[in-house]
Amino acid sequence: MAAAWLPFARAAAIGWVPIANTPMPDIARRTSEGNMNSRVIINISGRMFETWRYSLEKYPDTLLGSNEKEFFYDEEKDEYFFDRDPEFFRHILTFYRTGHMHFPRSECISAFDEELSFFGILPEIIGDCCYEDYRDRKRDNSDRVADEKSSEVEDTVLPSTFRGKVFRAFENPQSSTMALVIYYVTGFFIAVSVIANVTETVHCDPFPGKTSAVPCGERYEKGFFILDTACVMIFTMEYLARLWAAEDRCKFMRSVMSVIDVVAILPYYVGLFVTGDELTGMFVTLRVFRVFRIFKFSRHSQGLRILGYTLKSCASELGFLLFSLTMAIIIFATIMYYAEKSDTNTVFISIPAAFWYTIVTMTTLG
């Protein structure tokens, strides 16, 4: 009888309740069933587990605590057989024994949810010691699944149009030969731009008739300008092509990578209109943002994207660390200020003035 009804019970992907068009047959009553102090043998994919019957029947709303488990009973071997994962079942059986469910941090969250659903156990009963980890892993897994579904939609829908093919060529270098060419060309110009941004600050030979060295950016200004122009043109065409091919342009413009693209090329266009005496501190500050071009590598690097997702998932923990560090800085800076307040030669003329000393001491000397 168990073999006949097992497929129906397993077919319920969200739980253990059997699905059938006709009523299920009556459960065969056994003489030992009424003995609450009897032991129950549970076979999980060949691994044997044994526990007291009353431990299971304390939770009648679950599979093992209800009469539904009788559909999995093997009369010949006097055991219940479940074709499930025995590693997860250890934690499930612990719940029946102690009333506390613990989340195995090293296991797959989706597989754990499937086991809980099969045995009719709600995730809300997970203990406080593990529930926060479970919730974080659940959220991260949901985000990953959503990203995968979004990628599948883009792979299946976007290529049907020319815009879709262009967008996919920029997003997925493996989609075509042209996409691979775009990937390497864009990466090359990103590297050239970053190297040029660093090199132009290096001191070179002085101008003829001069003795003091000058930065290479001033010594070879025309050459660096031509190189910067070529890089910015490539980045501009890339951004406009992505914007044109994006399915939702507003969403694309609000994305982090889109903002980085704009900030990376904005100083060049501002510099075209701010020259000579018109050069202001604002433009000098904008030139600093050219360093953001290095973040364009993250668009083409799977490892950097994984690092970004990791930092995002750990945002709350990093925020707590920053909060703790800030509290310590304020406390020790205050102590330093009042300890040196009576000294006329002190450099700690205020509590904020002691911040730097405190930060350097805490982050370098521990």
Side-chain angles (χ1 to χ4, degrees):
M1 178 176 61
W5 285 99
L6 179 59
F8 291 99
R10 294 177 59 192
I14 62 171
W16 56 268
V17 180
I19 297 177
N21 294 325
T22 58
M24 300 184 70
D26 295 334
I27 300 173
R29 302 293 177 180
R30 293 175 287 107
T31 55
S32 62
E33 184 178 353
N35 188 358
M36 297 291 291
N37 294 325
S38 62
R39 289 182 294 181
V40 177
I41 300 176
I42 304 174
N43 184 343
I44 306 296
S45 298
R47 186 179 298 184
M48 311 303 293
F49 295 86
E50 191 169 351
T51 187
W52 298 106
R53 183 176 297 275
Y54 69 82
S55 297
L56 303 179
E57 296 187 354
K58 288 188 299 184
Y59 304 96
D61 294 332
T62 64
L63 172 59
L64 296 181
S66 68
N67 290 333
E68 298 293 341
K69 67 178 179 293
E70 302 303 326
F71 294 109
F72 300 88
Y73 180 69
D74 187 338
E75 297 181 355
E76 295 181 359
K77 297 183 178 181
D78 190 25
E79 65 183 21
Y80 295 93
F81 176 79
F82 296 93
D83 189 14
R84 309 301 299 182
D85 191 333
E87 295 300 327
F88 285 110
F89 189 75
R90 293 189 302 107
H91 303 279
I92 293 174
L93 190 58
T94 299
F95 162 70
Y96 283 100
R97 289 168 174 166
T98 65
H100 301 284
M101 173 65 72
H102 298 283
F103 170 61
R105 295 175 177 83
S106 60
E107 302 293 346
C108 173
I109 181 68
S110 298
F112 181 69
D113 282 339
E114 290 177 3
E115 295 299 315
L116 291 184
S117 180
F118 179 84
F119 288 100
I121 300 175
L122 298 177
E124 286 73 13
I125 54 88
I126 296 177
D128 295 338
C129 58
C130 302
Y131 189 76
E132 185 175 352
D133 291 332
Y134 171 82
R135 183 190 59 189
D136 293 341
R137 289 279 299 277
K138 186 77 172 178
R139 183 183 63 250
D140 295 342
N141 185 67
S142 300
D143 294 341
R144 180 186 60 81
V145 172
D147 291 340
E148 290 180 354
K149 289 183 178 179
S150 177
S151 300
E152 291 176 358
V153 171
E154 291 176 357
D155 292 341
T156 56
V157 177
L158 291 178
S160 61
T161 63
F162 179 71
R163 281 179 55 191
K165 292 180 181 179
V166 172
F167 188 81
R168 190 182 182 190
F170 280 101
E171 292 295 326
N172 185 8
Q174 307 300 327
S175 60
S176 63
T177 303
M178 181 56 66
L180 199 60
V181 172
I182 294 174
Y183 170 77
Y184 283 114
V185 170
T186 305
F188 171 77
F189 277 96
I190 293 174
V192 169
S193 175
V194 173
I195 293 174
N197 188 45
V198 174
T199 306
E200 68 178 7
T201 62
V202 178
H203 282 73
C204 294
D205 295 334
F207 288 105
K210 303 291 183 178
T211 57
S212 59
V214 295
C216 292
E218 298 179 11
R219 182 69 173 81
Y220 305 101
E221 183 177 0
K222 186 176 181 179
F224 277 100
F225 177 77
I226 295 174
L227 187 62
D228 193 33
T229 300
C231 294
V232 170
M233 291 301 102
I234 294 295
F235 299 152
T236 302
M237 289 188 292
E238 178 198 13
Y239 178 78
L240 294 177
R242 288 179 181 274
L243 179 62
W244 173 78
E247 185 176 8
D248 188 344
R249 293 190 177 95
C250 293
K251 181 179 179 181
F252 172 78
M253 294 178 66
R254 294 194 304 266
S255 65
V256 176
M257 291 308 303
S258 177
V259 173
I260 290 176
D261 290 340
V262 173
V263 172
I265 62 179
L266 184 62
Y268 174 84
Y269 291 107
V270 174
L272 294 179
F273 302 99
V274 181
T275 57
D277 295 337
E278 298 178 3
L279 187 63
T280 62
M282 181 188 68
F283 173 60
V284 174
T285 303
L286 281 175
R287 289 179 63 86
V288 176
F289 286 103
R290 292 188 303 171
V291 75
F292 277 80
R293 294 175 186 176
I294 197 171
F295 289 107
K296 290 172 69 66
F297 278 118
S298 62
R299 189 190 295 276
H300 306 281
S301 173
Q302 182 69 21
L304 289 177
R305 286 200 296 269
I306 292 175
L307 177 61
Y309 287 134
T310 303
L311 294 176
K312 181 181 178 181
S313 63
C314 299
S316 60
E317 289 78 7
L318 292 175
F320 177 74
L321 177 62
L322 181 61
F323 175 74
S324 302
L325 183 62
T326 302
M327 289 183 58
I329 290 172
I330 294 174
I331 292 173
F332 289 110
T334 303
I335 294 174
M336 291 297 300
Y337 168 72
Y338 284 105
E340 299 282 339
K341 186 177 180 180
S342 58
D343 188 353
T344 57
N345 297 323
T346 181
V347 295
F348 304 132
I349 58 177
S350 65
I351 292 178
F355 281 173
W356 174 248
Y357 176 82
T358 308
I359 293 173
V360 172
T361 303
M362 291 182 61
T363 56
T364 57
L365 303 179

